[in-house]
Amino acid sequence: MATIDDEEAMFETLDPIPSEIATAISDGLNALNESAGIRREAFAIVWREDGGLVAGITASVSFSVLFIGNLWVAKSLRLSGIGTKLMAAAEEEGRRRAAVAACVDTLSTQAPDFYPKLGYVEFGRVSGHAGGRPVDRIWFRKEFSAAA
């Protein structure tokens, strides 16, 4: 077991986080998970118009669960159905990668009504404050049917 000598070690707060630090931490955690047989397969699906990126979703599959990272649609295209299509495409890709369920989180200031319309059920919530107003972070889950 490693010991820490306080005179030789130190904590350092980094803000912003340098990309090489974020990569080193992520790679270290991924190596630990892979040694336990838990792989993470990350992917993105994008929507382009006239060669420009106007919407996209990042996701990963790990231990048979699809984790939605970020879903973004340009302001001018919100409520056009692109977000629903991106979610469907991510779920399809998740199933292709053997996911049996999906998880996503959002803020109460973002799209908390969007995910239940797609069959997601809330399973967790944490309340906080931002800019002097209450904001909740909400987690949703969706089980994939065997027939899908």
Side-chain angles (χ1 to χ4, degrees):
M1 179 164 82
T3 60
I4 296 176
D5 182 344
D6 289 339
E7 292 182 24
E8 295 180 24
M10 63 178 243
F11 291 105
E12 183 180 0
T13 300
L14 305 173
D15 181 10
I17 304 168
S19 61
E20 67 273 9
I21 297 293
T23 298
I25 292 168
S26 181
D27 288 351
L29 184 57
N30 287 338
L32 178 65
N33 286 341
E34 285 194 21
S35 71
I38 301 170
R39 292 193 60 239
R40 180 178 174 268
E41 301 174 25
F43 63 92
I45 300 171
V46 299
W47 187 282
R48 297 181 191 273
E49 290 185 1
D50 300 322
L53 181 66
V54 296
I57 190 167
T58 60
S60 63
V61 174
S62 185
F63 54 91
S64 301
V65 178
L66 170 67
F67 292 94
I68 303 297
N70 292 302
L71 171 61
W72 167 77
V73 177
K75 189 173 185 175
S76 63
L77 294 171
R78 291 184 188 147
L79 302 175
S80 69
I82 292 173
T84 298
K85 289 178 182 178
L86 284 168
M87 285 294 293
E91 289 176 8
E92 182 179 329
E93 181 64 17
R95 285 184 184 97
R96 192 184 73 70
R97 295 172 185 241
V100 298
C103 287
V104 63
D105 70 277
T106 191
L107 299 178
S108 56
T109 57
Q110 293 175 334
D113 299 328
F114 175 69
Y115 299 102
K117 292 176 184 174
L118 302 178
Y120 285 76
V121 176
E122 181 179 331
F123 72 90
R125 181 181 291 247
V126 174
S127 296
H129 289 85
R133 63 187 166 141
V135 177
D136 292 348
R137 187 167 185 180
I138 309 162
W139 284 266
F140 294 94
R141 179 177 175 89
K142 180 178 181 178
E143 301 292 328
F144 295 152
S145 67

